[in-house]
Amino acid sequence: MSKTQAQEAGEIARLLSYVVILLGAVGLFCAAGAIPASRFEKLGAGAFPKIVFAAIALMSIVAIIDALRKISGPAYGRFLCDAWGWARRCYLVFICLGALSAYLLAIPVLGFSIASFVFIFGLQVILMPRRMPSIALAAVVAVVFSFGLNWLFAEVFTVFLPRGVF
Amino acid sequence: MSDFMTGAAQIFTFATLIYMLFGSVAGIVAAAIPGFTVTMAIVLTLPLTFTMEPLQGIAVMLSVYVGGYTGGLISAALLGIPGTPSSVATTFDAFPMARNGQPGRALSIGVWASFFGTLISTVVLIFAAPPLALFAVRLGPWEYFSLIVFALTIVASLVGSSVIRGMLAGLIGLAISTVGTDPIMGRPRFDFGIEMLQTGLPFLVVLIGIFAISQLVSEVENADTVRSGNPLVTGAIDFQTWAVMKEVLMRPLNLLRSSMVGVLIGALPGAGGSIANLVAYDQAKRGSKHPERFGTGEVDGIVASEAGNSATAGGGLIPLIGLGIPGSAVDAILMASLMVHGISVGPRLILDHGDLVYGMFIAMAVASLMMLVVAVCSMRLFLRVTEVPKWLIVPVVMTCCVVGTFALNNRVTDLYLLIFIGIAGYALRALSYSLAPLVLGVILGPIAETNLRRALMTNDDPSLFFTRPISLIFLIAAVISIVWAIRSHLKSRKLSERSSDAAAS
């Protein structure tokens, strides 16, 4: 993929983001209008959000017009292909975000120590050049920053991290 | 004079100095961990000071305070993640400098700028506490709203590569701040019946998600560099202590201006370090002969941000000492620690407990010196972070972010918010949105809304924003700031067009 192609694919992705932001701003502007006004003040709870969302909508329209000006016709046809190529190159990003999401959802169930150990050790093994010393180091680091951190917070700072249901 | 000597005698005891040393180390370490703020470090220190003498306890907490403002610099420079909200602007230039192979220099500049910033703010605190405190308390909601309008014009300096996306990011930040209970009447807004949105999106969770998670995830974009075991930052671990001190002192105007910005913003209740570093950075960029260098590892950028945020430590004490009004959460905790010892904090504090007030001034100066010593001695240790490979540091720092997010309110739902904000933050980063305006919007949004509505509740005549002199001054400053930004933008566009024409011919 040439540099211009990559720039155009990025510009289309940004155009899509402007459209999403515009739709969100219009929806939330309407939602802000439905917030009841107060008899005790001139501006109600919905006034400030309405100003903000109106400004976002206006700015999004400007951004959309600006983006449409920059993108050539054939770029739209190539976009899906380019986006798929980017996603394949950055597959570790998706693994990281997926692992983080699973970790955060698992904390209330497994407790901080176990969930953190599994997350740190698992993600390190995925990211590392796999050699025996590295795996041993990863295990030690995972123990220190899961069980060790939990102990430090509970015993020294009396801040109790989630214990889980087990 | 006798009060001064009594205060000095209490500070310069072996026990107090040792406690202050521990406080400095604790502040630096706590703030270096993303997600842990200076406020949290001070809250954790408070129970430990109950058994100490009042001035001893306050001195220890001031050491944590001063150390904490510097500690945020470490992760900002080495990881590109602001350790505390007050070091957001430090990431703009310290991180690129560290990435360019000068991590030691980046840290050193930040430490010296913090040291001088704290010293300057202490001097201002000593001489200007009573008049400045009286000025700050006279500001009504009109002046505050106009001040925030002026502060919002900073977005123009932080927009990055695209003005439109920068402004959109700033507005999205303002929009994020409107989620949850409204600040005046307590009406629910935009929670869609979801319980975790009812209390709004906590600022720290937004900061961690937007800056830390997105930065960490972007570190693993290139699978080859991660798998080869590359460290985050490569380059010489060279602290260059004295050479850098001279380098910082060679910028007296920037140092003084940024420190004064920090003092003034610190003196205003409700503002604080999280805004001061951005305003100081903005002013330094506008005042520079080479604004185009900002964001690429410019020394002035680091000096401005660090001097600005450290100077708020002294500035924040102005309303506390002058009037007994805590200007920030940290000052409220300092006030609480005095009240625990039966000392009533108010306008009579300086008259009734002169030794304590002078002791606090001396403690500020000693704490900044101690921070400098601790930082210089421990930086080599911190710089070892740069040698840690990405595959090891990314999951570990993510876990620290999770702990910081949870410890803020002890709420599991904040962790769920972190997932969404982290993913949104990465998406915005990948789409080349500038993230700093978004954070500024989240900080300033509630202050702007509260004061706008409060002003119109007090008097529904909107012309008061233009007829009250101080409010008018802030609004005129905002207009000048926008005009200046447009002028600079047009100028830089002309320059880049000219250079591309020259390259083409």
Side-chain angles (χ1 to χ4, degrees):
Chain A
M1 187 165 51
S2 72
K3 200 178 168 189
T4 324
Q5 270 186 21
Q7 276 174 350
E8 282 190 325
E11 205 55 60
I12 294 175
R14 281 189 279 276
L15 172 65
L16 288 175
S17 74
Y18 302 146
V19 173
V20 170
I21 291 169
L22 174 64
L23 293 176
V26 171
L28 289 169
F29 181 85
C30 297
I35 297 171
S38 167
R39 71 171 72 165
F40 302 107
E41 60 169 334
K42 194 174 181 182
L43 296 177
F48 185 76
K50 269 162 80 178
I51 297 169
V52 172
F53 290 120
I56 292 179
L58 193 72
M59 196 50 75
S60 303
I61 293 169
V62 173
I64 289 170
I65 294 167
D66 186 51
L68 286 172
R69 210 169 41 86
K70 287 179 189 165
I71 304 166
S72 67
Y76 292 103
R78 287 193 308 263
F79 176 67
L80 278 180
C81 203
D82 293 343
W84 177 244
W86 174 83
R88 280 182 59 181
R89 276 195 310 280
C90 298
Y91 71 99
L92 281 180
V93 166
F94 296 98
I95 291 176
C96 258
L97 286 173
L100 180 70
S101 306
Y103 166 49
L104 293 175
L105 291 171
I107 285 179
V109 184
L110 297 176
F112 174 79
S113 302
I114 298 172
S116 300
F117 177 79
V118 174
F119 169 72
I120 297 173
F121 185 67
L123 194 56
Q124 282 180 338
V125 169
I126 291 169
L127 298 177
M128 69 167 55
R130 280 174 216 113
R131 287 189 297 267
M132 219 34 222
S134 307
I135 293 173
L137 177 65
V140 173
V141 169
V143 169
V144 170
F145 283 91
S146 54
F147 293 94
L149 208 58
N150 191 30
W151 175 86
L152 178 79
F153 269 78
E155 298 298 322
V156 180
F157 302 136
T158 57
V159 172
F160 297 99
L161 301 171
R163 289 174 186 176
V165 293
F166 298 112
Chain B
M1 193 63 193
S2 68
D3 284 339
F4 181 84
M5 294 309 284
T6 315
Q10 287 184 59
I11 293 293
F12 290 107
T13 60
F14 183 69
T16 308
L17 291 174
I18 288 289
Y19 285 140
M20 286 179 76
L21 185 68
F22 281 120
S24 250
V25 175
I28 290 175
V29 171
I33 302 169
F36 288 81
T37 58
V38 186
T39 314
M40 286 158 89
I42 292 211
V43 168
L44 293 170
T45 318
L46 178 64
L48 306 175
T49 63
F50 287 166
T51 53
M52 298 176 186
E53 289 294 312
L55 185 54
Q56 200 174 39
I58 281 284
V60 173
M61 290 170 80
L62 285 174
S63 306
V64 177
Y65 195 8
V66 172
Y69 272 123
T70 310
L73 151 81
I74 295 166
S75 55
L78 302 183
L79 305 174
I81 300 167
T84 63
S86 49
S87 48
V88 169
T90 311
T91 58
F92 302 159
D93 281 288
F95 186 53
M97 185 182 276
R99 279 278 155 116
N100 293 337
Q102 295 178 305
R105 185 166 167 242
L107 282 181
S108 196
I109 291 168
V111 168
W112 278 111
S114 280
F115 173 69
F116 290 120
T118 314
L119 276 192
I120 292 169
S121 79
T122 309
V123 173
V124 176
L125 173 69
I126 293 169
F127 291 104
L132 262 179
L134 280 173
F135 171 76
V137 90
R138 271 190 199 151
L139 301 185
W142 302 270
E143 286 79 14
Y144 264 96
F145 178 73
S146 303
L147 173 67
I148 297 304
V149 170
F150 169 61
L152 276 170
T153 61
I154 298 166
V155 168
S157 282
L158 308 173
V159 289
S161 57
S162 161
V163 176
I164 295 174
R165 280 197 296 283
M167 288 176 74
L168 257 179
L171 287 165
I172 290 171
L174 287 176
I176 288 173
S177 74
T178 63
V179 175
T181 316
D182 101 80
I184 298 277
M185 303 303 282
R187 281 188 199 281
R189 292 190 304 199
F190 312 120
D191 60 15
F192 309 108
I194 303 167
E195 202 180 327
M196 66 180 170
L197 292 180
Q198 282 169 2
T199 48
L201 300 174
F203 167 58
L204 202 66
V205 179
V206 175
L207 183 77
I208 294 172
I210 291 289
F211 266 103
I213 301 295
S214 71
Q215 174 65 40
L216 288 167
V217 170
S218 67
E219 293 293 347
V220 299
E221 276 177 351
N222 189 338
D224 294 336
T225 58
V226 180
R227 287 265 157 76
S228 60
N230 276 4
L232 277 178
V233 178
T234 48
I237 299 177
D238 195 359
F239 201 56
Q240 301 171 346
T241 309
W242 302 115
V244 169
M245 185 194 80
K246 276 184 203 158
E247 202 176 353
V248 172
L249 283 174
M250 290 295 278
R251 293 166 164 76
L253 186 66
N254 184 10
L255 200 59
L256 207 63
R257 181 181 51 214
S258 305
S259 303
M260 289 311 295
V261 165
V263 170
L264 291 173
I265 291 181
L268 297 174
S274 43
I275 303 175
N277 69 108
L278 290 163
V279 178
Y281 183 87
D282 170 68
Q283 294 303 315
K285 191 174 175 183
R286 286 168 198 264
S288 171
K289 285 178 186 161
H290 306 285
E292 73 285 353
R293 286 189 200 160
F294 278 69
T296 59
E298 172 66 24
V299 178
D300 276 320
I302 309 173
V303 169
S305 173
E306 281 304 308
N309 71 22
S310 295
T312 53
L317 290 179
I318 289 172
L320 181 73
I321 290 173
L323 296 158
I325 299 170
S328 67
V330 172
D331 298 313
I333 301 161
L334 287 176
M335 189 169 158
S337 82
L338 286 174
M339 289 163 82
V340 164
H341 291 283
I343 294 166
S344 161
V345 182
R348 286 194 61 83
L349 180 71
I350 201 157
L351 299 173
D352 298 339
H353 300 280
D355 57 333
L356 188 86
V357 173
Y358 283 111
M360 282 167 81
F361 296 156
I362 297 164
M364 277 286 289
V366 174
S368 62
L369 191 68
M370 219 155 249
M371 174 279 293
L372 183 71
V373 173
V374 171
V376 169
C377 295
S378 63
M379 276 308 164
R380 284 197 181 280
L381 197 70
F382 282 114
L383 280 165
R384 296 279 167 219
V385 172
T386 59
E387 293 171 356
V388 178
K390 283 183 185 181
W391 61 262
L392 197 149
I393 207 157
V394 168
V396 167
V397 178
M398 274 186 180
T399 307
C400 291
C401 292
V402 168
V403 175
T405 304
F406 178 79
L408 177 69
N409 294 314
N410 280 346
R411 263 199 319 244
V412 172
T413 48
D414 283 351
L415 300 180
Y416 304 146
L417 285 176
L418 185 66
I419 300 175
F420 292 108
I421 297 170
I423 292 172
Y426 177 72
L428 290 175
R429 185 185 283 267
L431 292 167
S432 309
Y433 282 80
S434 177
L435 299 179
L438 192 149
V439 173
L440 192 70
V442 178
I443 298 170
L444 297 180
I447 311 175
E449 181 180 5
T450 308
N451 286 294
L452 175 66
R453 288 169 65 185
R454 199 175 280 160
L456 292 174
M457 272 170 97
T458 314
N459 190 327
D460 61 6
D461 178 12
S463 68
L464 282 173
F465 287 106
F466 305 99
T467 51
R468 289 175 69 102
I470 298 172
S471 171
L472 183 66
I473 289 170
F474 285 136
L475 288 176
I476 291 171
V479 172
I480 292 171
S481 171
I482 292 168
V483 171
W484 185 279
I486 293 171
R487 188 175 152 265
S488 316
H489 184 69
L490 291 175
K491 214 170 155 185
S492 66
R493 209 165 67 174
K494 244 183 210 171
L495 267 176
S496 64
E497 273 171 13
R498 240 184 249 165
S499 60
S500 62
D501 286 350
S505 61

